[in-house]
Amino acid sequence: MLTQAPRPTTEARRAVSPARGAPPASHGNSLTDTIDLMGAPISFGRNEEIYGEREPAEYLYKVISGTVRIYKILSAGRRQIQAFHVAGDIFGFECEHEHTFSAEAINEARILVVKRSAVMALAALDNDVARQLLALTARELQRVQGHAMLLVKTAQERVVSFLLEMAGRAPGDAVELPMSRQDIADYLGLTIETVSRTLTGLESAAAIALPSSRRVVLRNHRALSRLCS
Amino acid sequence: MLTQAPRPTTEARRAVSPARGAPPASHGNSLTDTIDLMGAPISFGRNEEIYGEREPAEYLYKVISGTVRIYKILSAGRRQIQAFHVAGDIFGFECEHEHTFSAEAINEARILVVKRSAVMALAALDNDVARQLLALTARELQRVQGHAMLLVKTAQERVVSFLLEMAGRAPGDAVELPMSRQDIADYLGLTIETVSRTLTGLESAAAIALPSSRRVVLRNHRALSRLCS
DNA sequence: CGGCGCCTTGAACCAAGTCAAGCTCTGTGG
DNA sequence: CCACAGAGCTTGACTTGGTTCAAGGCGCCG
């Protein structure tokens, strides 16, 4: 049909989306400040549940350290991971009063926990908080949209997109993966075998290096960007 | 492009709501009310573009009648549809200042268009509006999460889920599909052949009837619910 | 040193994609 | 009123990317 790509040039530079990285510069982020002040830090062990599907959604969470997976168990015991959250990320937004996903710590994690009702009450008074709540939800919406687009790509495109997403969270070309192959597979809607084979293939193609199974070095960004879609 | 610029119609004056698009009487929904009052109704023809990816996101939209598809073109010309919107739906939420998807009318459609800046300004004054904006965004987030979960299921599960989703929008067991097989395929991340074969299969299994290609009758909800995962 | 997660690799299989007809509407012009 | 053209949908035969099943390797910690 008639979809024009008005500026092919802008296409290239957009290759690695900035969407996920830095939230609009920190100055006076009253929501984050609020959570930092009001939140109670709690520690979770490896694979410990933070909340479960169907449980009442009473809190908002902010990761201090560690990594969290948000997931749902589909029929046939299949697990689909919807997001990984790392230090700085806020999660637990729900429009219903129940969680529609479960959350678990992938490794030792410290999480700030704050009552949703308290935040909502504050939002009703402070317009800044309300606006940031909306902004965060909209950003999360965009992230999930991106994830949905991932799930219709080929295995190689999914794995590469995942690597670039992870690389985008920390500077440098070396990426430390906090999650297992199974976690990656469940995030990408693939099997661990396919993830493993694809990574091996990328290494053979000299696009990445795999000094250890949890460590990936991006060696050829150009090639990777091309592969990721 | 230019030629496609939505042209405000003279019908703007007789905007007294057409029977069809009337949402469930908006008792106290200030956001919907706002859009109904402030919005300018615009008509779009079949396949006409409402907005395109990368364009500045200046407006919010509410469907009065007709159906809209929200989509993105991936590499290799593949089109992924992210949502179908029908009468009553509000769309065009963006956290960035540019649209990340394109929107097109699937068939003749009438859409209320309202400046985002106007709504945002109102939200800053009226807490009710702000809360509803957040609620709508959160609901949209939940919808997209559901769509992402769809995309990792089998072809049959996807098609059945789609039918149940469509059926859930209108009462009764007969579903009128406003979109083509290609649209359905692009929404479900399948090919038209697979969609067609799956529908035929469901008909053979007496789960549905297909009096015509755009009309589906759900005959066995029990079986369908089981199939959709 | 031995046991246990976790990861990789190989081979066989299958669900969905691709390619290629052919069918069924629907609107149009003779 | 029929012929006919074109778009949209279905069906069949074949191919393939990714899964499944099965085995083996690697690294870590007691």
Side-chain angles (χ1 to χ4, degrees):
Chain A
M1 235 152 280
L2 23 73
T3 311
Q4 69 318 28
R7 297 235 186 252
T9 48
T10 58
E11 186 106 341
R13 80 165 39 169
R14 198 186 170 280
V16 179
S17 152
R20 155 156 274 289
S26 35
H27 97 282
N29 190 328
S30 16
L31 177 56
T32 301
D33 292 352
T34 300
I35 294 179
D36 288 350
L37 289 172
M38 303 182 4
I42 303 191
S43 290
F44 293 88
R46 198 169 121 86
N47 294 327
E48 190 176 344
E49 178 172 272
I50 298 168
Y51 56 75
E53 209 180 325
R54 304 291 165 92
E55 286 179 9
E58 291 182 66
Y59 302 94
L60 280 184
Y61 305 82
K62 181 178 171 186
V63 181
I64 302 172
S65 67
T67 311
V68 172
R69 64 179 158 245
I70 308 297
Y71 70 95
K72 183 178 271 198
I73 301 294
L74 307 176
S75 63
R78 190 156 168 30
R79 180 185 69 166
Q80 177 62 33
I81 293 180
Q82 197 259 337
F84 294 116
H85 290 300
V86 299
D89 292 347
I90 296 174
F91 66 95
F93 303 99
E94 299 285 342
C95 71
E96 309 287 325
H97 293 94
E98 286 187 352
H99 286 292
T100 54
F101 287 83
S102 303
E104 279 176 2
I106 286 182
N107 39 33
E108 294 293 320
R110 284 181 65 74
I111 316 270
L112 275 179
V113 180
V114 63
K115 279 245 177 209
R116 249 160 64 91
S117 56
V119 175
M120 295 312 271
L122 201 68
L125 300 173
D126 183 344
N127 238 297
D128 242 30
V129 173
R131 190 167 330 129
Q132 282 160 25
L133 208 49
L134 178 60
L136 271 175
T137 307
R139 179 179 306 278
E140 175 69 2
L141 172 59
Q142 202 174 41
R143 195 196 59 73
V144 177
Q145 284 173 343
H147 189 223
M149 293 299 119
L150 242 197
L151 297 177
V152 297
K153 297 186 182 176
T154 66
Q156 192 176 64
E157 288 167 347
R158 295 188 213 188
V159 171
V160 172
S161 302
F162 169 74
L163 291 178
L164 291 177
E165 183 188 339
M166 285 298 138
R169 291 184 171 179
D173 284 351
V175 186
E176 187 73 37
L177 301 175
M179 71 293 282
S180 70
R181 292 287 185 273
Q182 187 63 63
D183 286 329
I184 298 173
D186 290 350
Y187 180 68
L188 299 178
L190 299 169
T191 59
I192 52 174
E193 291 95 333
T194 299
V195 171
S196 185
R197 278 188 252 268
T198 304
L199 286 172
T200 306
L202 290 170
E203 189 178 31
S204 310
I208 63 172
L210 287 166
S212 86
S213 71
R214 295 293 182 99
R215 174 171 285 270
V216 181
V217 181
L218 309 189
R219 300 183 58 192
N220 189 339
H221 283 266
R222 186 85 43 84
L224 288 171
S225 302
R226 206 172 340 101
L227 290 177
C228 93
S229 106
Chain B
M1 320 179 207
L2 300 168
T3 60
Q4 306 246 356
R7 32 173 184 114
T9 61
T10 51
E11 301 165 39
R13 340 183 87 220
R14 45 175 180 114
V16 217
S17 72
R20 212 251 178 202
S26 32
H27 106 98
N29 188 330
S30 14
L31 177 58
T32 302
D33 290 353
T34 300
I35 295 179
D36 288 350
L37 288 172
M38 303 183 2
I42 302 190
S43 290
F44 293 88
R46 195 170 124 87
N47 294 328
E48 192 175 343
E49 177 173 272
I50 298 169
Y51 57 75
E53 208 179 325
R54 309 286 165 91
E55 287 179 8
E58 292 183 65
Y59 302 95
L60 279 185
Y61 305 83
K62 181 179 171 185
V63 182
I64 301 171
S65 68
T67 310
V68 172
R69 64 177 158 246
I70 308 297
Y71 70 95
K72 182 177 271 196
I73 302 294
L74 307 177
S75 62
R78 191 156 166 30
R79 180 184 69 167
Q80 178 62 34
I81 293 180
Q82 196 258 339
F84 294 117
H85 290 299
V86 299
D89 291 347
I90 297 174
F91 65 96
F93 302 100
E94 299 286 343
C95 72
E96 309 286 326
H97 293 96
E98 286 188 350
H99 286 292
T100 54
F101 286 83
S102 302
E104 281 177 2
I106 286 182
N107 40 33
E108 294 293 322
R110 285 179 63 73
I111 316 271
L112 274 179
V113 180
V114 63
K115 279 245 177 207
R116 249 158 65 90
S117 54
V119 175
M120 296 312 271
L122 201 67
L125 301 173
D126 184 343
N127 238 298
D128 243 29
V129 173
R131 190 166 331 130
Q132 282 159 27
L133 207 50
L134 177 60
L136 272 175
T137 307
R139 178 179 308 278
E140 176 69 2
L141 172 59
Q142 200 174 43
R143 195 196 59 71
V144 177
Q145 285 173 343
H147 189 223
M149 293 299 118
L150 242 196
L151 297 177
V152 297
K153 297 186 183 178
T154 66
Q156 192 175 62
E157 289 168 346
R158 295 188 212 189
V159 170
V160 171
S161 301
F162 170 74
L163 292 178
L164 292 177
E165 182 187 339
M166 285 297 138
R169 290 184 171 180
D173 285 351
V175 186
E176 188 74 36
L177 301 175
M179 70 294 282
S180 70
R181 291 288 185 273
Q182 187 64 63
D183 286 330
I184 299 173
D186 290 349
Y187 179 67
L188 299 179
L190 299 170
T191 60
I192 53 174
E193 291 96 331
T194 300
V195 170
S196 185
R197 277 188 252 269
T198 305
L199 287 171
T200 306
L202 290 170
E203 190 177 31
S204 309
I208 63 172
L210 288 165
S212 87
S213 72
R214 294 292 181 101
R215 175 171 285 270
V216 181
V217 180
L218 309 188
R219 299 182 59 193
N220 189 341
H221 282 265
R222 186 84 42 85
L224 289 171
S225 303
R226 209 174 335 105
L227 288 177
C228 90
S229 105

